[in-house]
Amino acid sequence: MNNPDIKLRTITMCRTGVSNAEVARRLGVPKGTVGYWKFQDRARHPDLYPPAGAKCPICLGTGPTDRPYSYLLGQYLGDGHIIAKPRQHTLSITCCDDYPVIMDDTQRAMVRVLPGANTTRVRRTGCTDVKSYSAHWTCLFPQHGPGMKHTREIELADWQSEIVESHPWEFIRGLIHSDGCRITNWTEKVIAGERKRYEYTRYFFSNVSSDIRGLYCWALDLVGVEWRYANWRNISVAKKNSIALMDLHVGPKF
Ligand SMILES: [Zn+2]
């Protein structure tokens, strides 16, 4: 094994967290050799290896678990951001303290999407940041970039679109849980001479990024929910059948 190219390929694959056995199988290198090269390289560059236990589904080539990923993507596009440092990235999603169940859902989705990465909660005034630490969050959310999301183009990678297409409701739920709301208003109507109180429900989604609003509308189209613009940044769902669908799959926030 004197081929420098195969050694480099082995080390590169090891650094992404693929197991020795899998590297050996994919590259046709004896397992013992993989282990030795990795041992040497890790001693020299420990920071280039993922923390023990964190398994990145993108680097491993397995792809993330669809349902929790679709939900987390919605949450990330709504109220999430990644703080990227040379050795460690932090995914942070801000959750309102009024909705403890959503906070639990968010943290559970993080754990399922990137198993092994540590998660924590940081309290602020009226809200809590749910955080997860791993250098691999930028693999999972390639939309990460400098500046605010609405100041740059937000486009899904093909693999992300495929996940949303197979679990559109999870994506919509994530977006509503971050930047949406369900409201019940009432009005009075005179029917056959009698004044009656009449309640109606609306779903709103509000985001300043036109790309993110576009993704929300695209997902609504996938599930047959009718929508319209209430104002330039606010999308409303008001039709009876569409509200019934939204109530079945999303519902009020808790
Ligand atoms: Zn990765």
Side-chain angles (χ1 to χ4, degrees):
M1 281 284 162
N2 283 324
N3 181 345
D5 183 52
I6 197 73
K7 184 170 178 181
L8 188 64
R9 286 177 65 194
T10 303
I11 287 170
T12 305
M13 203 178 276
C14 287
R15 284 176 181 172
T16 66
V18 178
S19 72
N20 294 7
E22 183 61 18
V23 175
R25 195 189 63 79
R26 285 199 214 166
L27 298 180
V29 176
K31 221 165 85 178
T33 310
V34 173
Y36 179 63
W37 284 344
K38 182 174 162 183
F39 171 77
Q40 282 183 320
D41 184 56
R42 196 173 200 155
R44 254 178 259 147
H45 309 285
D47 50 304
L48 296 179
Y49 282 80
K55 304 266 183 238
C56 173
I58 305 301
C59 291
L60 292 173
T62 55
T65 313
D66 289 6
R67 281 177 65 92
Y69 183 80
S70 196
Y71 176 72
L72 199 61
L73 178 62
Q75 280 270 16
Y76 165 72
L77 292 177
D79 269 338
H81 65 278
I82 293 171
I83 303 150
K85 299 231 172 103
R87 292 185 186 192
Q88 184 77 289
H89 302 335
T90 305
L91 169 67
S92 181
I93 292 177
T94 305
C95 296
C96 175
D97 285 344
D98 293 340
Y99 309 128
V101 175
I102 292 180
M103 221 181 281
D104 288 344
D105 278 356
T106 307
Q107 194 163 3
R108 199 176 308 120
M110 283 179 178
V111 171
R112 288 192 62 198
V113 167
L114 194 47
N118 286 330
T119 60
T120 183
R121 296 181 184 195
V122 179
R123 299 233 23 200
R124 298 197 288 148
T125 314
C127 62
T128 298
D129 289 335
V130 181
K131 291 172 181 277
S132 171
Y133 306 96
S134 167
H136 293 274
W137 280 116
T138 46
C139 307
L140 285 148
F141 297 118
Q143 283 70 29
H144 171 70
M148 305 287 281
K149 283 193 216 90
H150 67 272
T151 61
R152 52 198 159 85
E153 230 170 79
I154 300 290
E155 207 181 331
L156 296 187
D158 289 347
W159 63 268
Q160 291 178 300
S161 300
E162 281 166 28
I163 289 177
V164 173
E165 277 163 10
S166 50
H167 297 282
W169 279 115
E170 289 302 305
F171 181 66
I172 293 166
R173 220 161 59 84
L175 286 169
I176 292 288
H177 281 182
S178 55
D179 278 345
C181 63
R182 176 191 187 275
I183 57 141
T184 304
N185 272 343
W186 64 273
T187 183
E188 282 188 333
K189 270 188 182 176
V190 180
I191 299 166
E194 213 182 319
R195 193 171 281 273
K196 275 196 172 169
R197 190 185 154 103
Y198 167 78
E199 284 194 342
Y200 61 95
T201 301
R202 296 278 182 278
Y203 280 84
F204 290 104
F205 175 78
S206 181
N207 195 291
V208 290
S209 159
S210 61
D211 288 342
I212 294 173
R213 292 195 303 273
L215 289 169
Y216 174 67
C217 297
W218 164 64
L220 292 182
D221 287 342
L222 288 175
V223 294
V225 166
E226 288 181 68
W227 53 269
R228 65 173 184 83
Y229 267 93
N231 59 48
W232 72 272
R233 63 175 212 175
N234 208 346
I235 291 145
S236 147
V237 173
K239 291 268 176 71
K240 206 176 165 195
N241 289 348
S242 296
I243 292 290
L245 276 172
M246 292 291 275
D247 277 349
L248 184 64
H249 294 278
V250 181
K253 289 163 79 162
F254 292 107

